[in-house]
Amino acid sequence: MDPSPHLFDRGAGGACVFIPSGEEDLATAAAIFHEVSESTERPFRLVFFPVQDWNRDLSPWKAEAIFQDRPFAGGADQTLRTLLESLVPDLGGDRPLLLGYSLSGLFCLWALTKTEVFFGAGSCSGSLWFPDFPAYLTIHPPRHGAHIYLSLGDREEKTHNPHLRSIGDNTRSIHAALSKREDYTVSPLVMNRGNHFQGVPHRMALGILWLLNSFP
């Protein structure tokens, strides 16, 4: 992981949301910041930290490829370690949060099971189809008191790919299990219109806004 982040600040003293991103995503980052800024008076900071190889750096354990690309190498532990050691101490403020999309959404939810540093996380259209992840969460639940946002596109499970087809059932079952826990603050399951690739900045902005507003 390249530790050089892109920062977007709106005032001082607010929550800080760490967001995994690709180097090409600056336009998306700016669009997200603009929408959130237009929708809340709260101060906040967004920290987009570049991830060089998503299949390697955001997957919590090794898994076979689902397309014609590289398999998942299980390098999330190193990414989280770098984030905690190099970025959060200087930039995280009093209330560090996580939010991600697709495989980075999976990473953010998984990170809540590995550390108590983050107060909450948003998984927007997260890759919750990932092998064995629902079972993992039953054994390794997120940190006590976590604020958790989950969303999905309403057409994402309508796919011919057998690996991705479980995304709907997995997301609903994970949301139901987390919602039963009194020690969590969990969003309603937000069903956005469209497939996995539609309205990404808007979906992420909705998740950030929910996280910001879930605290007093």
Side-chain angles (χ1 to χ4, degrees), residues 1-3 5 16 18-20 47 49 57 75-93 95-98 107-108 110-120 143:
M1 185 183 81
D2 183 347
C16 178
F18 290 88
I19 304 169
V47 179
F49 61 94
D57 298 333
D77 278 304
Q78 180 57 52
T79 300
L80 181 59
R81 187 177 305 113
T82 303
L83 181 61
L84 292 174
E85 293 176 356
S86 301
L87 297 181
V88 174
D90 293 332
L91 302 174
R95 188 180 294 160
L97 303 163
L98 283 167
F107 168 83
C108 292
W110 166 85
L112 289 184
T113 73
K114 303 292 287 186
T115 176
E116 295 192 357
V117 168
F118 299 102
F119 283 65
R143 57 154 287 180

Side-chain angles (χ1 to χ4, degrees), residues 24-45:
E24 73 283 358
D25 288 343
L26 273 179
T28 298
I32 294 168
F33 176 72
H34 177 75
E35 181 168 346
V36 176
S37 297
E38 291 292 307
S39 303
T40 184
E41 296 296 324
R42 290 174 176 261
F44 66 90
R45 167 180 284 175

Side-chain angles (χ1 to χ4, degrees), residues 141-191:
R143 57 154 287 180
H144 176 80
H147 291 229
I148 300 171
Y149 177 89
L150 294 176
S151 73
L152 190 66
D154 61 8
R155 295 195 59 81
E156 292 195 52
E157 62 189 312
K158 303 181 189 306
T159 174
H160 296 296
N161 188 303
H163 300 280
L164 301 181
R165 203 175 297 153
S166 64
I167 183 66
D169 287 342
N170 284 10
T171 302
R172 285 185 288 269
S173 66
I174 288 171
H175 180 268
L178 294 175
S179 298
K180 291 178 182 177
R181 295 277 300 266
E182 294 183 358
D183 53 332
Y184 298 145
T185 300
V186 183
S187 75
L189 178 55
V190 178
M191 297 300 295

Side-chain angles (χ1 to χ4, degrees), residues 6 19-25 29 48-52 54 58 104:
H6 302 293
I19 304 169
S21 69
E23 284 286 7
E24 73 283 358
D25 288 343
F48 293 84
F49 61 94
V51 175
Q52 295 178 345
W54 281 47
L58 297 175
S104 69

